[in-house]
Structures are given as C-alpha cells and as structure tokens.
Amino acid sequence: MATERISPTLRRRRLASRLRQLREQADMTVAEAAKAIEWTPSKITWIETNRGKRPNPRDVRDLCDAYDVTNERERAYLEQLARDGRLKGWWDPYGDVLPHPYENYVGLEAEAATVLNFELGMIPGLLQTEDYARAMIQAGPAELAADKVDKRVEVRIKRQAALREDPGLRLVAVMDEAALHRQVGSATVMRAQLQHLVDIAEELSRVTIQVVPFTRGAHSSMTNGFVVLQFPEPEDPDVVYVENAAGGLWLEDVQEITDHHVAFQHLLGNADSAPDTIAMIAKMARS
C-alpha cells in the first residue's frame, strides 16, 4: 500500500475508489451513510467520484467510523492518501487555464506506466512540437488570450518530459493517416512536426508510432480518438479518456475499458508496422 511516487490526482482516485468499496461492503446507501455522519448525500457522492473539494483526514476518519472499519493499518493508509491528495502537482499553477477533466488527465498521466493513444486528425499531445501545439490550441473551440495559450503550450510540453524519465513512460501512439496530411500551422511547422516524429521514434525505444493508412478503408474507431492509461500498481485500474469539443469524458466501467482495449488492438492490426510508418513519415517530411 505504499504511496511513494504517485501523483496527488492518483492518490485521490485511489481514496475515492476504496471509500466507495467500504460503503458498499457496509451495505449502506449514500443516503444512509450521509445520515450516519450528518452530512449531505452530495458530499458522499463528490468524495466517491473524486469531484469537488478534496477530502481531509477528518472526513476519512468519519467515514471509517460509519463503515465500521477497525483495521488501524487501513485507516492510517486512507488518512495518508487524503493528506497526500491535498498536495499540489506540477500542473497546479496552470489550473486557471486547464479544464477540470483535462487537469485530472494530466495528473493521472503523470503516474501512468503506459499510454495507449489513438488520434484521428491530429498528432498526439505527447508527440507534438511546441509550434504545432500552439497552432492546435489557438484553433481550439475556446478563444484564449495569448498568455493563456502560452500556459497551455507549457503544460503540453512539460507532459512530454515523462517520456525521458527513468523509468520512462511507454507510449503506443496510433494515428489515422489524416493526422499526417492535415497542415497545422504553416508548412514549415508541419515539416518540423513530421521530422520530430521520426526523431523521437528513433531516439526512444519506449515510444511506438503507427499509422492506419487510408487504403485500409473503414475501421472501428472512425468517430473519435481516445486514450487508455495503464498504471504500474494493480490497485489502480486502467482508465479511458475521450476528449471532445464539450470537454473530456472519463470511462472507468470494466466493460467500457475492455471495449477500448479491443478497439486499440484492432487499430494496431490495421496499422502499418512501426518501421514502415516511420519510413513513410520520413518521406513526407522530406517532401
């Protein structure tokens, strides 16, 4: 149950999941738990869904009492998760420009062991150059002041540091071929972006880049991109993140996660091999 080297976001997710399990084991509804502690049901809900105000150790003690948790080791562990979950991650100073779902995504990605990322029309964020990222953010649905664009670009570039850490984040990125042809920014920006893909694939063995070519025709994920985050500890189940113009959507249901794993495997089956992909991208960059 060690809490070392995990982000505050992941600590809060662990805490929320375990507190929900304890309530269910106690055979209590949200309303019954709230009545026992003299809380509102909404407070129980936002703690269990990891939304809103961050729970403190006193909140955890009250819930453990209500659920008749007598194991002192577990109580201490949950209280420590609450303390650690109130710490700040490196992304906290950017909270004013990060939508809440995306802020949570950054916090979870910071402790992921593997990222499985499929994108339809753009280069994955972990592989974007600064100029490409700026052009993408400026073209987004929200009109942002120049300083806020700068902050979002900083976050995107800082996320990429995880690829070079030891142990580094493993990234398996699959793109539809459309992502390579759509010019984002100028032709110079796009050429540099394509060359960056070649360079990073050659530099980092933990990064795999594959493309589903147009000639493969229809495939199972033509409606949207998605990300599967996998964590090093078994107590942290996989999570799926789907981003759209309205914001981000988290999927944590076991069947939904399984469905996205299957979809990703189908994409890998339709994609060109990593060597063939890099050869194609290198040719495009030269031309």
Side-chain angles (χ1 to χ4, degrees):
M1 290 187 179
T3 61
E4 292 83 357
R5 300 185 68 248
I6 59 175
S7 77
T9 308
L10 192 57
R11 290 180 172 103
R12 293 194 296 272
R13 183 176 182 239
R14 282 185 184 179
L15 179 61
S17 176
R18 184 56 183 151
L19 289 175
R20 181 174 61 253
Q21 291 173 359
L22 290 172
R23 176 179 58 77
E24 292 171 349
Q25 289 172 8
D27 197 25
M28 297 177 72
T29 65
V30 169
E32 289 169 342
K35 183 177 181 180
I37 314 174
E38 297 185 345
W39 287 0
T40 62
S42 60
K43 183 173 180 177
I44 302 284
T45 299
W46 61 246
I47 287 177
E48 291 187 359
T49 56
N50 194 21
R51 293 182 175 87
K53 185 179 177 182
R54 301 171 184 180
N56 58 48
R58 175 58 187 271
D59 293 332
V60 171
R61 288 194 294 272
D62 289 345
L63 289 168
C64 285
D65 289 342
Y67 304 152
D68 196 26
V69 178
T70 58
N71 185 310
E72 291 299 327
R73 183 168 177 242
E74 175 155 39
R75 290 175 68 107
Y77 169 65
L78 294 175
E79 288 182 32
Q80 189 61 48
L81 284 181
R83 293 187 191 94
D84 294 343
R86 296 170 69 84
L87 300 175
K88 295 184 181 298
W90 65 259
W91 53 91
D92 274 57
Y94 301 93
D96 61 325
V97 298
L98 299 180
H100 181 66
Y102 181 59
E103 184 177 8
N104 274 346
Y105 175 83
V106 173
L108 291 176
E109 182 190 73
E111 287 302 330
T114 301
V115 173
L116 310 178
N117 189 183
F118 170 67
E119 295 294 351
L120 270 171
M122 69 175 187
I123 307 299
L126 286 170
L127 300 174
Q128 293 178 7
T129 65
E130 183 173 335
D131 289 337
Y132 184 100
R134 185 177 303 279
M136 281 295 305
I137 292 168
Q138 288 174 334
E143 292 188 11
L144 300 174
D147 62 325
K148 292 189 175 182
V149 171
D150 290 342
K151 284 187 175 182
R152 286 203 183 182
V153 172
E154 286 179 24
V155 170
R156 192 157 301 181
I157 300 306
K158 282 188 176 184
R159 286 171 49 205
Q160 299 172 7
L163 296 174
R164 292 179 168 81
E165 291 176 352
D166 186 17
L169 176 66
R170 177 173 177 260
L171 171 64
V172 182
V174 179
M175 291 172 278
D176 191 276
E177 187 178 346
L180 304 179
H181 290 281
R182 180 171 299 281
Q183 181 173 303
V184 175
S186 66
T188 300
V189 168
M190 199 64 200
R191 186 177 299 111
Q193 174 62 74
L194 293 175
Q195 186 59 50
H196 178 67
L197 294 178
V198 175
D199 293 343
I200 201 167
E202 293 177 346
E203 175 192 356
L204 299 176
S205 61
R206 64 180 66 96
V207 174
T208 301
I209 302 172
Q210 294 180 243
V211 167
V212 180
F214 290 143
T215 54
R216 296 292 192 276
H219 57 77
S220 61
S221 301
M222 294 182 64
T223 56
N224 60 266
F226 61 89
V227 181
V228 181
L229 297 180
Q230 298 178 297
F231 303 96
E233 298 297 332
E235 64 185 304
D236 300 314
D238 295 358
V239 64
V240 172
Y241 181 70
V242 181
E243 192 171 43
N244 53 43
L249 176 65
W250 288 103
L251 304 176
E252 299 190 70
D253 178 78
V254 173
Q255 188 58 55
E256 290 175 325
I257 293 171
T258 299
D259 290 345
H260 281 80
H261 273 290
V262 171
F264 198 81
Q265 291 304 311
H266 286 168
L267 288 164
L268 289 174
N270 281 320
D272 281 350
S273 68
D276 287 348
T277 291
I278 298 306
M280 177 182 69
I281 295 174
K283 182 178 180 181
M284 292 179 66
R286 290 192 300 270
S287 64

